[in-house]
Amino acid sequence: NIKKLKLDYKYSKEIGRTILNLKFKDIRLWIRIIRAIPILGILGILPQFPFKRYWYYFPAYALFSPIQHIMYLAGFWKGFLMRNRKK
């Protein structure tokens, strides 16, 4: 879903912008940083799948979750590296 990918991108971009302002004191920040690491981050996306209700869709979800992860990476690092610039 393109709409969800755009939302994930915007969300991760804002996380990247604010991560240094919070000075790494919150444990949730470390989870977000781990999610922004290329290989480890995919492990944070896969458990979000609702296994109990839609277990039969998991192969398709696992196939397309790298796209979601790439969008998250692009947004996070763009926001992190260019955090002082305006949109």
Side-chain angles (χ1 to χ4, degrees):
N1 188 340
I2 299 295
K3 195 175 186 180
K4 182 170 181 343
L5 288 176
K6 287 181 181 179
L7 182 67
D8 284 344
Y9 178 79
K10 289 179 184 178
Y11 175 69
S12 62
K13 189 173 170 182
E14 290 302 316
I15 290 172
R17 282 185 182 163
T18 61
I19 200 104
L20 291 178
N21 294 338
L22 298 177
K23 308 264 193 237
F24 300 104
K25 292 180 182 177
D26 190 6
I27 188 68
R28 291 174 290 178
L29 293 178
W30 289 106
I31 293 170
R32 290 175 180 158
I33 291 170
I34 289 172
R35 193 168 171 200
I37 297 173
I39 302 299
L40 294 176
I42 198 78
L43 299 175
I45 291 174
L46 291 177
Q48 295 176 0
F49 184 77
F51 287 103
K52 291 182 182 179
R53 292 186 71 188
Y54 303 110
W55 59 270
Y56 44 88
Y57 286 133
F58 183 73
Y61 181 78
L63 183 66
F64 292 111
S65 63
I67 296 169
Q68 181 183 4
H69 181 57
I70 290 169
M71 293 299 290
Y72 187 88
L73 287 173
F76 179 87
W77 290 111
K78 183 175 182 182
F80 185 78
L81 297 174
M82 300 180 192
R83 65 190 172 276
N84 294 329
R85 296 183 185 177
K86 297 286 182 190
K87 294 180 183 179

